[in-house]
Amino acid sequence: MRAPDPQAHLTADQARAADDGHKAMMPVNGRPFLDFVLSGLADAGIAQVALIVAPEHQPLLQRYTATARPSRLTVRFLVQPEARGTADAVLAAEEWTAGEPFLTMNSDNLYPRRALEDIVGLEEPGLVVFAPGDLMRLGNIPAERINAFAIVRVDEHGFLGGIVEKPGSDAPAAVPAWKDDDLISMNCWRFDARIFSACRDVRPSARGELELPDAVALSVQRGVRYRVLRAAGGVLDLSKRADAAEVGRRLGDVALRL
């Protein structure tokens, strides 16, 4: 989000959010993108939300405890003292989950309501996966960006068989590293308490971070099975400056209720 993009058309407020790297607080049609995410979670029946935040998170705290305090869900702020990776971020939620199953997802993605409802209703660990065509046609994700997403392998029983992490991140943008029938992970998971020991034990990746997909793979080795749910629909992704205009267009008639 911080990377300059002369082709991106941003308002002054959007440019400030982009410069700060605050994707969740990027204004979209006059509201922070996170407002749409929280409203969507409430629509799917979720009542308790924890935001994993950096030590400096005053704008988020001010908005969701004072300026726009949600009425349909409870928001807690859990501090990740140092950005050591996504597995470490999940560990920040261990006490908050109190041993109960929980969902983990990106705050710069807006997932289809039905996909959220399906994973809420799941009675075992699992993840939501998407067809590349749906991500392109029904979301705002261009074909070349899918190269950087993980491909999910499914076993004959419908459980996670493996994750091919970022298979085409180094490939030329015009060369798809995926096939039309591949299933793509957009980091929407349902976990139980067993994920925490895997997050603690996972080793740093090549880029020096504790990665959640590596922790998931470790938990699978230890016997955890993840049900794969195939979603119908796309995802709105606000990870780059150029996404703001299209995301705003697609959310123009969405009614928000926090």
Side-chain angles (χ1 to χ4, degrees), residues 143-198:
E144 61 269 18
R145 192 180 303 178
I146 297 176
N147 279 356
F149 295 155
I151 295 175
V152 171
R153 304 302 187 204
V154 186
D155 70 16
E156 64 272 22
H157 303 294
F159 291 99
L160 177 67
I163 300 176
V164 183
E165 183 69 13
K166 297 179 175 59
S169 56
D170 296 325
V175 179
W178 44 268
K179 301 186 295 294
D180 290 341
D181 59 352
D182 278 336
L183 298 172
I184 306 298
S185 170
M186 294 298 293
N187 294 317
C188 185
W189 295 88
R190 181 185 176 101
F191 293 122
D192 61 25
R194 290 175 289 179
I195 192 62
F196 294 120
S197 61

Side-chain angles (χ1 to χ4, degrees), residues 24-73:
M25 295 299 286
M26 169 71 76
V28 175
N29 302 333
R31 302 282 293 267
F33 184 68
L34 188 55
D35 279 13
F36 293 89
V37 175
L38 293 176
S39 180
L41 293 176
D43 289 343
I46 295 169
Q48 299 183 61
V49 173
L51 301 177
I52 311 301
V53 296
E56 298 297 326
H57 58 277
Q58 188 58 36
L60 281 167
L61 186 65
Q62 173 65 27
R63 179 161 187 82
Y64 296 112
T65 62
T67 307
R69 187 183 184 93
S71 61
R72 293 202 293 160
L73 40 74

Side-chain angles (χ1 to χ4, degrees), residues 199-215:
C199 288
R200 271 190 291 271
D201 295 343
V202 72
R203 295 182 178 180
S205 66
R207 61 179 182 171
E209 294 192 357
L210 304 176
E211 310 275 6
L212 185 56
D214 293 341

